[in-house]
Amino acid sequence: MCGIIGYIGPRDISSVLLTGLKRLEYRGYDSAGMTINNPDGLATFKAVGKIMELEKKISGRDLAGNLGIAHTRWATHGEPNEINAHPHLDAKGEVAIVHNGIIENYYALKDFLIKEGFKIVSDTDSEIVAHLIQKFHNGDFSESVAKALELIEGTFGLAIVQKGENKIIAARRGSPLVLGLGEGEMFIASDVSAVLDYTKRIIYLNDDELAIVEKDSYSVKNLKGEEVNKKVHEIKWTLDQIEKKGFKHFMLKEIFEQPEAIINTLRGRIKEGKIKLSLDLNMNSLKRIIIVACGTSWHSALIGKHLLEKIAGVPVEVDYASEFRYRDPLIREGDLVIVISQSGETADTLAALREAKARGAKILGIVNVVGSTISREVDSGIYLHAGPEIGVASTKAFTVQVVDLLLLALFLRQEKGLDLQKDIIRNLETLPEKIREALGQSDSIRELAEKFVNCKNILYLGRGLNFPVALEGALKLKEISYIHAEGYPAAEMKHGPIALIDKDMPALFIATRDNTYEKILSNMEEIKARGGEIIAVVNEDDKKVIGLAGSIIKVPSVSCELTPVVNAIPMQLFAYHVADLRGIDMDKPRNLAKSVTVE
Ligand code: F6R
């Protein structure tokens, strides 16, 4: 996904911009570029491919200047090439912009500009912004930007420079943007990690805000030109937390961080056997919950449905955010909409949140990234406190989401005056230790991965609470190893997919003990009878599955409600090791981005 960094101050401009771009690499990109405002005008450099290519283009040049903007592009309109890479400039080369988001009325604006005599050179929607600003140029930089923005429909995170101006203008609608405050220097970025090398003092811009940034000062206005007072946030995440800590990949580091992440999410939320959540919502009138999310977060929502219905006795519906937003959803009195998102920036989830809000629902967010757009737009929230998740494939956010949904279910039960299930609470407190035990299987899971590294398809099967874990296991494998994998409820096999079973279609069963255990054994028999190879995730002391499965992964026993968390660990490790053995950089799998901020 595209990334933005801007800088104004005394440091070496190109190295600040390059460092920022490298911090944004994890988001995924296909080209990069920068513009430096130097005494001779706007010097712009672009390159397709890695940031290293951009570095080669600028090496050996004298890049004097005290402000500049840079961008990593992930193509949406127009192929990845140098012309389409940002920054984009107006025809006179006086205005340069970098843009994240999508301009929806781009064709209309393009026609309008062409009629006015402007020459558009790229295939992007972004370029027109530079021309519009130039068109409205009247000597007042921020006024011409504001006028241009009035015409734009769609989403933007923008950083803009103009020849001869000692300031950068940033503007946001629907695409995240922050200001980083330094001493005699200022930063603009789409992501806090791009500026953490230099400052931890951050301002989050809201939609329809425009910031005028000079080296010693800044001001933020809304699009009506009214001054807005902004809170300065002190960021606690260190760069060290963000880097790999000796693990080969971010994904592996994040898998191994799960015990710590669960300790952090539980901290202060269980006291003397009671659940403490400060939710600013009236739960007495609660009649129904609707959970919306995408991808891995949607899988945790499916587990949440089981937990909330069983423990709190509240009916729950789960929807893909992308479907919910367009299906004219019915919101009734007593409905609570829960949005789940690691990044807090997923465009579909954000749109679903806004749709639900417009229809009168109260919104509860379960979000990891503090200060993200979703976290700021919800009525109340539960932060995951899982720490930064850099690997594109979500791991620790998933298990922590499930833990927080369980906490919420217990909390709602407590609010109803029902007895709390003390054994679940005790199990929650020992969960980090159980996760460590499950992580101890990493080496034997790698051996198993060696056996399946060349297979073309795998079926993931589970039931009840562990059916969504099967979905998640299949998603992990396909997105990072490019092996086709599907998750199914195990009993559904006989209604069609069983036709696929032969010796080349292994089936991975989640077969830890719960109320569906005996049924799963029969489902395994059905596969075995058709010559299918079985991999099974079982409890350490299991005796029955051993005879049926060719390969076994053992996990510690936990109470039934926590099995999805423990069983997710071998799913993640198996996918990781298969991808690593196939030589794939699973931190940046092809075609994927960490945070999907476009529709
Ligand atoms: C898969 C993955 C994605 C995300 C999805 C939602 O490993 O990471 O499926 O879960 O894009 O992202 P968030 O949770 O940030 O809204």
Side-chain angles (χ1 to χ4, degrees):
M1 207 60 42
C2 307
I4 289 175
I5 169 83
Y7 175 70
I8 176 162
R11 295 178 200 252
D12 178 60
I13 182 78
S14 61
S15 64
V16 175
L17 295 178
L18 285 169
T19 307
L21 290 181
K22 284 178 190 163
R23 295 278 173 225
L24 296 169
E25 275 195 292
Y26 74 90
R27 293 167 63 95
Y29 66 103
D30 46 50
S31 52
M34 68 166 70
T35 293
I36 293 172
N37 196 353
N38 71 18
D40 301 327
L42 301 181
T44 299
F45 306 91
K46 303 182 186 188
V48 175
K50 295 283 167 199
I51 289 163
M52 210 171 47
E53 302 304 320
L54 180 64
E55 247 173 325
K56 280 188 206 153
K57 288 219 164 159
I58 60 176
S59 90
R61 288 174 190 261
D62 177 19
L63 292 176
N66 63 351
L67 70 92
I69 52 176
H71 189 261
T72 47
R73 174 173 187 254
W74 191 68
T76 55
H77 290 66
E79 64 180 73
N81 60 28
E82 280 190 23
I83 294 177
N84 290 337
H86 300 216
H88 289 288
L89 279 81
D90 72 302
K92 293 185 186 156
E94 291 180 347
V95 175
I97 66 105
V98 289
H99 168 232
N100 287 356
I102 290 182
I103 296 171
E104 284 163 7
N105 58 340
Y106 145 70
Y107 289 106
L109 290 175
K110 186 176 172 184
D111 285 348
F112 162 73
L113 284 166
I114 290 172
K115 279 188 196 124
E116 295 261 316
F118 289 85
K119 193 166 177 286
I120 314 281
V121 292
S122 76
D123 306 318
T124 67
D125 53 337
S126 308
E127 184 193 338
I128 56 151
V129 182
H131 297 291
L132 284 175
I133 295 169
Q134 178 60 32
K135 177 180 161 45
F136 292 120
H137 183 55
N138 62 356
D140 184 330
F141 184 17
S142 62
E143 203 176 296
S144 51
V145 172
K147 276 193 178 149
L149 296 186
E150 268 173 31
L151 295 183
I152 291 175
E153 288 166 19
T155 55
F156 52 79
L158 279 164
I160 307 154
V161 293
Q162 184 161 323
K163 187 178 162 190
E165 290 281 356
N166 260 326
K167 56 183 79 143
I168 306 177
I169 294 188
R172 156 182 179 148
R173 181 184 298 154
S175 196
L177 217 51
V178 300
L179 308 186
L181 313 184
E183 297 295 324
E185 60 181 355
M186 299 282 174
F187 303 82
I188 292 163
S190 53
D191 188 319
V192 171
S193 59
V195 302
L196 272 188
D197 280 299
Y198 307 103
T199 180
K200 292 190 186 311
R201 297 178 63 229
I202 296 295
I203 285 175
Y204 294 97
L205 291 187
N206 282 330
D207 279 351
D208 291 329
E209 284 180 351
L210 184 144
I212 301 160
V213 183
E214 298 182 57
K215 80 179 169 43
D216 294 309
S217 65
Y218 64 89
S219 69
V220 179
K221 295 179 178 172
N222 61 25
L223 291 187
K224 288 184 217 137
E226 297 156 343
E227 203 85 27
V228 183
N229 266 336
K230 300 296 291 182
K231 185 174 166 204
V232 178
H233 295 256
E234 199 70 39
I235 297 299
K236 302 231 165 58
W237 293 356
T238 60
L239 269 175
D240 183 49
Q241 271 179 298
I242 295 178
E243 279 161 5
K244 290 193 195 111
K245 284 190 185 155
F247 285 93
K248 187 172 176 191
H249 296 98
F250 281 114
M251 182 179 177
L252 192 61
K253 173 174 99 64
E254 286 155 13
I255 291 173
F256 274 83
E257 280 172 348
Q258 289 174 105
E260 202 58 38
I262 288 171
I263 292 169
N264 287 339
T265 209
L266 290 177
R267 184 166 291 127
R269 288 174 172 165
I270 303 177
K271 270 193 197 139
E272 291 151 10
K274 293 248 178 298
I275 309 297
K276 307 267 176 206
L277 291 179
S278 42
L279 301 182
D280 198 11
L281 292 169
N282 174 12
M283 294 298 183
N284 294 332
S285 57
L286 179 63
K287 294 206 178 73
R288 178 176 72 148
I289 291 173
I290 302 168
I291 315 183
V292 291
C294 301
T296 289
S297 297
W298 182 77
H299 295 153
S300 72
L302 293 177
I303 298 168
K305 171 182 167 71
H306 278 255
L307 298 172
L308 287 157
E309 290 190 339
K310 187 171 161 205
I311 297 171
V314 187
V316 180
E317 286 175 24
V318 176
D319 213 342
Y320 285 113
S322 53
E323 291 296 316
F324 178 88
R325 62 184 291 195
Y326 289 119
R327 76 169 164 77
D328 205 5
L330 282 181
I331 301 288
R332 295 186 295 243
E333 220 178 299
D335 282 347
L336 172 70
V337 171
I338 300 181
V339 292
I340 306 181
S341 175
Q342 186 288 128
S343 60
E345 302 293 350
T346 302
D348 284 323
T349 311
L350 183 58
L353 178 169
R354 288 175 177 163
E355 182 67 37
K357 218 174 190 182
R359 287 167 186 260
K362 286 283 173 210
I363 318 283
L364 173 71
I366 300 184
V367 173
N368 192 34
V369 178
V370 176
S372 56
T373 311
I374 291 179
S375 77
R376 285 180 286 128
E377 293 200 13
V378 294
D379 296 299
S380 184
I382 301 174
Y383 274 126
L384 300 182
H385 300 309
E389 196 181 67
I390 304 284
V392 162
S394 190
T395 51
K396 59 180 178 173
F398 173 73
T399 47
V400 173
Q401 283 164 356
V402 175
V403 168
D404 286 346
L405 284 158
L406 177 56
L407 281 178
L408 179 65
L410 290 165
F411 177 77
L412 293 180
R413 184 178 175 87
Q414 178 180 283
E415 292 289 286
K416 282 184 165 180
L418 298 171
D419 65 309
L420 267 189
Q421 292 155 327
K422 296 266 183 299
D423 56 321
I424 306 182
I425 296 188
R426 268 195 303 276
N427 269 269
L428 259 174
E429 285 169 330
T430 55
L431 182 62
E433 201 38 55
K434 301 284 181 186
I435 303 279
R436 272 187 205 108
E437 283 176 43
L439 290 167
Q441 299 297 310
S442 185
D443 290 345
S444 54
I445 293 175
R446 189 165 182 99
E447 282 170 28
L448 191 69
E450 278 164 13
K451 190 168 158 197
F452 292 95
V453 67
N454 290 320
C455 71
K456 301 265 183 293
N457 305 284
I458 299 194
L459 277 177
Y460 280 70
L461 303 169
R463 298 188 69 153
L465 269 171
N466 283 294
F467 159 53
V469 180
L471 292 177
E472 175 60 7
L475 176 63
K476 285 289 90 87
L477 188 75
K478 73 179 113 179
E479 68 180 333
I480 63 168
S481 76
Y482 317 144
I483 293 175
H484 173 238
E486 292 303 330
Y488 258 95
E492 271 295 303
M493 285 297 294
K494 56 185 175 294
H495 299 290
I498 200 160
L500 294 169
I501 297 299
D502 64 12
K503 63 176 184 21
D504 297 322
M505 173 68 97
L508 190 156
F509 276 90
I510 299 164
T512 45
R513 259 187 311 276
D514 62 14
N515 61 338
T516 62
Y517 176 70
E518 295 294 336
K519 306 277 174 205
I520 282 262
L521 291 177
S522 330
N523 300 141
M524 278 188 198
E525 295 280 9
E526 289 157 12
I527 301 277
K528 200 170 176 204
R530 285 154 184 89
E533 177 148 11
I534 295 176
I535 312 164
V537 176
V538 297
N539 289 125
E540 287 148 331
D541 55 350
D542 188 283
K543 304 251 166 6
K544 295 186 178 170
V545 176
I546 310 270
L548 286 169
S551 309
I552 291 286
I553 303 172
K554 292 188 175 172
V555 290
S557 304
V558 286
S559 69
C560 156
E561 295 73 15
L562 292 171
T563 54
V565 180
V566 172
N567 293 340
I569 306 296
M571 302 294 113
Q572 299 166 349
L573 285 171
F574 182 69
Y576 170 81
H577 287 303
V578 171
D580 190 37
L581 289 165
R582 288 164 75 96
I584 293 168
D585 176 2
M586 77 296 291
D587 283 340
K588 294 176 207 141
R590 69 185 180 203
N591 307 337
L592 287 176
K594 180 65 186 161
S595 132
V596 186
T597 50
V598 292
E599 233 192 281

